[in-house]
């Protein structure tokens, strides 16, 4: 993996997005250094999911720029596709392909995008299923797995594409409390491996333990950005304070 | 005039002799209608001017009788120098006509797939065409096996329309016997019963397929 460490993994400049007349993202600026873990939190409707969906082209935006490594999204179709391929995404609702086995979920993109031979793709997929600790489920279908297992498959599926950056959009919000930990453990493991991660999550324990920076959003703007220790001890913005109060009690 | 069972039985070999033609027309039309219908639905979804045209085309197809299509293709196209045989005209006519209906079925089948499926595939970097083939189409088929089977049975039952073009399928054969013997009840009953048997077979096969498709993959 060639990584230019001097370039930030993600550089967001003056990003603005509207849904019709509704201004969802307002002048968002954010720099995410390579190898760092950012947690984005905030009340629902604050634009945090929209923001990370802008980072891999799932949402269009009207103003501003998003640069991933050296590639500015939208400048050049081929480079944008490349940047997207190097960005893994994990969704709240897992979005596994229900008609494919766990193994095929992981190999589909490998077989189609870099046209990897089946054997090679399968051994790579098994390696990552091992990493998320469910190698024994490879031949099952998603509906036969628990939510936590499905989300771990989704993480393995994204890792198969060798991403430089992983985006997590509320990965544990649809899970039973008992399954949250198994997914967070896998994410923590990834963080220790040095993966650049941006996580939209309300898991404040995870944020405290793993994040380098916590970003707090409200009404489409970033209102506070701080290290977890500073953010949890003394949140500056009143909206962040009340948010933390409701979350921690 | 009483129903003559012995005479009815004597017509069976002649009418059954045309079952191959009926099945050929039905099979080709099912495949043709599915392929064209899927293509139409993809163009409709892509929007733009093409999508608008296809939307109009599908409504137009569904608002006209199938016989009009067959007559137009057979009698009017030759004026423009396009001369197709009766069999080809029949199969093209049924394919075009039912493609309009199947496009609607495909639309429902695709609409029922959560957006997250295509999003997850896009996030993995999979191309548009591959998403359609490997992610959307298989899930669409699972969603629509039953209504699609209904249209396949409809296509089978529409093959007798080709009698107007003198394609030697089963009902045409039955009418030939009737006009030679002036006995209608027996050959038409025999043809009807064979159609009934075929329709039941197809429905059964579709049901089996549906169970297999859903299997362990049900959401």
């Amino acid at each position: 993996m060639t990584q230019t460490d001097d370039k930030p993994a993600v550089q967001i400049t003056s990003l603005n997005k509207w849904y019709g007349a509704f201004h969802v993202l307002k002048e968002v600026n954010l720099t995410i250094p390579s190898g760092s873990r950012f947690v984005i939190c905030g009340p629902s409707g604050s634009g945090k999911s929209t923001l990370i969906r802008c980072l891999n082209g799932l949402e269009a935006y009207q103003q501003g720029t998003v640069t991933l490594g050296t590639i500015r999204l939208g400048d050049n179709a081929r480079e944008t596709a490349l940047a997207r391929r190097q960005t893994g995404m994990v969704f709240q609702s897992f979005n596994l392909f229900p008609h494919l086995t766990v193994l095929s979920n992981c190999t589909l993109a490998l077989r189609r995008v870099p046209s990897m031979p089946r054997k090679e793709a399968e051994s790579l997929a098994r390696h990552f299923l091992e990493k998320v600790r469910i190698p024994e489920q490879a031949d099952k279908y998603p509906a036969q797995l628990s939510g936590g297992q499905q989300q771990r498959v989704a993480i393995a599926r994204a890792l198969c594409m060798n991403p430089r950056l992983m985006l997590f959009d509320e990965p544990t919000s649809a899970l039973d409390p008992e399954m949250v930990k198994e997914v967070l453990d896998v994410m923590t493991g990834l963080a220790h491996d040095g993966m650049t991660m941006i996580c939209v999550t309300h898991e404040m324990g995870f944020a405290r333990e793993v994040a380098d920076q916590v970003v707090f959003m409200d009404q489409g703007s970033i209102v506070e950005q701080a290290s977890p220790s500073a953010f949890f001890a003394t949140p500056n913005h009143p909206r962040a304070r009340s948010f933390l109060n409701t979350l921690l009690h | 005039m009483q129903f003559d069972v012995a005479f009815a039985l004597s017509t069976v070999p002649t009418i059954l002799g045309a079952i191959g033609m009926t099945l050929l027309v039905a099979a080709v039309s099912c495949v043709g209608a599915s392929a064209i219908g899927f293509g139409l639905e993809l163009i409709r979804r892509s929007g733009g001017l093409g999508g608008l045209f296809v939307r109009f085309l599908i409504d137009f197809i569904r608002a006209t009788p199938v016989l009009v299509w067959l007559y137009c293709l057979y009698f009017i196209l030759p004026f423009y120098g396009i001369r197709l045989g009766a069999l080809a005209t029949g199969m093209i006519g049924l394919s075009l006509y039912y493609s309009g209906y199947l496009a609607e079925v495909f639309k429902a089948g695709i609409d029922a797939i959560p957006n997250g499926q295509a999003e997850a595939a896009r996030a993995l970097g999979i191309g548009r065409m591959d998403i359609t083939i490997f992610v959307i189409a298989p899930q669409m088929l699972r969603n629509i096996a039953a209504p699609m089977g209904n249209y396949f049975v409809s296509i089978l039952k529409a093959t007798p329309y080709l009698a107007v073009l003198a394609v030697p399928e089963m009902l045409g054969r039955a009418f030939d016997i009737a006009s030679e013997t002036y006995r209608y009840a027996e050959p038409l009953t025999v043809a009807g019963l064979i159609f009934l048997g075929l329709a039941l077979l197809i429905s059964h096969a579709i049901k089996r397929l549906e169970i297999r498709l859903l299997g362990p993959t049900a959401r």
Side-chain angles (χ1 to χ4, degrees):
Chain A
M1 194 155 65
T2 52
Q3 186 111 1
T4 41
D5 281 316
D6 47 331
K7 282 272 180 193
V10 182
Q11 175 95 51
I12 302 169
T13 326
S14 300
L15 190 68
N16 279 282
K17 177 178 172 61
W18 289 264
Y19 284 122
F22 181 55
H23 201 172
V24 248
L25 293 176
K26 300 171 188 161
E27 280 296 306
V28 173
N29 290 288
L30 191 61
T31 302
I32 294 167
S34 205
S36 61
R37 276 81 59 177
F38 273 53
V39 161
I40 303 178
C41 58
S44 71
S46 58
K48 50 200 192 311
S49 286
T50 308
L51 176 62
I52 72 164
R53 287 164 59 86
C54 285
L55 301 187
N56 71 344
L58 288 181
E59 296 281 352
Y61 42 87
Q62 284 78 32
Q63 281 175 16
T65 60
V66 174
T67 309
L68 300 183
T70 55
I71 300 170
R72 203 166 89 170
L73 295 188
D75 272 1
N76 168 316
R78 182 174 297 177
E79 289 202 324
T80 302
L82 179 69
R84 166 183 277 179
R85 217 173 304 150
Q86 292 174 339
T87 305
M89 177 132 189
V90 174
F91 300 85
Q92 178 176 0
S93 49
F94 325 138
N95 294 348
L96 293 181
F97 307 129
H99 60 296
L100 298 177
T101 62
V102 163
L103 192 64
S104 303
N105 261 278
C106 295
T107 56
L108 179 63
L110 288 173
R111 300 290 311 281
R112 306 311 310 174
V113 185
S115 303
M116 191 181 275
R118 177 193 292 273
K119 276 246 162 65
E120 202 179 325
E122 287 187 350
S123 82
L124 194 61
R126 285 186 197 281
H127 165 75
F128 284 110
L129 287 173
E130 195 107 22
K131 202 172 164 73
V132 300
R133 296 174 215 141
I134 34 173
E136 72 284 358
Q137 310 287 359
D139 297 317
K140 290 199 178 161
Y141 286 91
Q144 296 170 303
L145 306 185
S146 72
Q149 290 173 323
Q150 288 192 51
Q151 194 60 299
R152 285 186 285 149
V153 172
I155 295 173
R157 178 174 73 173
L159 290 177
C160 280
M161 298 307 284
N162 193 17
R164 292 179 176 187
L165 166 68
M166 283 287 287
L167 307 174
F168 293 84
D169 188 5
E170 303 206 29
T172 57
S173 299
L175 295 176
D176 289 341
E178 285 181 311
M179 294 166 186
V180 169
K181 184 176 180 304
E182 64 189 53
V183 171
L184 290 180
D185 284 350
V186 166
M187 290 168 63
T188 307
L190 265 184
H192 290 320
D193 291 348
M195 176 67 76
T196 310
M197 295 164 67
I198 306 175
C199 314
V200 171
T201 183
H202 294 142
E203 295 297 332
M204 291 302 129
F206 174 79
R208 207 188 291 265
E209 188 186 339
V210 173
D212 300 309
Q213 291 279 296
V214 177
V215 172
F216 182 81
M217 290 184 72
D218 188 37
Q219 294 181 14
S221 305
I222 293 178
V223 296
E224 185 154 356
Q225 179 185 339
S227 70
S229 52
F231 178 74
F232 290 112
T234 51
N236 284 324
H237 199 276
R239 191 65 190 84
R241 264 199 300 274
S242 73
F243 177 79
L244 280 179
N245 272 334
T246 50
L247 213 62
L248 298 177
H249 289 126
Chain B
M1 202 149 61
Q2 273 191 322
F3 191 92
D4 184 339
V5 176
F7 174 61
L9 288 176
S10 77
T11 66
V12 171
T14 315
I15 296 174
L16 260 187
I19 198 173
M21 181 58 81
T22 291
L23 289 177
L24 171 74
V25 171
V28 171
S29 304
C30 285
V31 172
S34 301
I36 300 170
F38 191 54
L40 288 180
E41 177 52 20
L42 291 184
I43 298 172
R44 177 162 60 175
R45 295 189 95 77
S46 69
L49 223 57
L52 212 64
F53 173 71
V54 164
R55 247 163 67 183
F56 167 76
L57 185 67
I58 290 172
D59 285 346
F60 180 74
I61 289 174
R62 297 197 308 143
T64 41
V66 62
L67 268 181
V68 172
W69 278 81
L70 292 177
Y71 277 124
C72 284
L73 289 174
Y74 195 61
F75 293 115
I76 296 178
L77 283 183
F79 282 116
Y80 300 94
I82 303 168
R83 231 168 266 280
L84 304 165
L87 178 62
T89 305
M91 295 191 297
I92 293 171
L94 289 185
S95 297
L96 284 175
Y97 184 72
Y98 280 94
S99 71
Y101 288 89
L102 282 167
E104 293 291 305
V105 174
F106 293 142
K107 172 173 163 35
I110 295 175
D111 287 346
I113 302 170
N115 272 340
Q117 289 292 310
E119 281 184 356
R122 280 163 61 196
L124 286 165
I126 302 175
R128 189 191 276 260
M129 179 82 110
D130 282 336
I131 293 177
T132 303
I133 298 172
F134 295 100
V135 178
I136 300 301
Q139 297 192 57
M140 174 195 77
L141 285 178
R142 280 176 11 155
N143 292 341
I144 60 167
M148 203 169 157
N150 287 343
Y151 277 109
F152 285 177
V153 171
S154 292
I155 290 173
L156 171 77
K157 293 190 300 177
T159 56
Y161 282 123
L162 271 60
V164 302
L165 309 179
V167 171
E169 50 68 59
M170 287 199 296
L171 196 73
R173 203 56 82 74
F175 269 119
D176 290 346
I177 297 172
S179 55
E180 281 162 17
T181 61
Y182 298 106
R183 301 191 68 101
Y184 283 83
E186 292 86 352
L188 292 185
T189 305
V190 167
L193 286 175
I194 297 173
F195 271 109
L196 176 68
L198 286 178
L200 287 177
L201 265 175
I202 296 181
S203 316
H204 182 70
I206 295 281
K207 208 160 278 168
R208 292 284 296 271
L209 179 71
E210 199 182 356
I211 292 168
R212 241 197 64 195
L213 276 178
L214 289 175
T217 68
R219 226 183 273 273

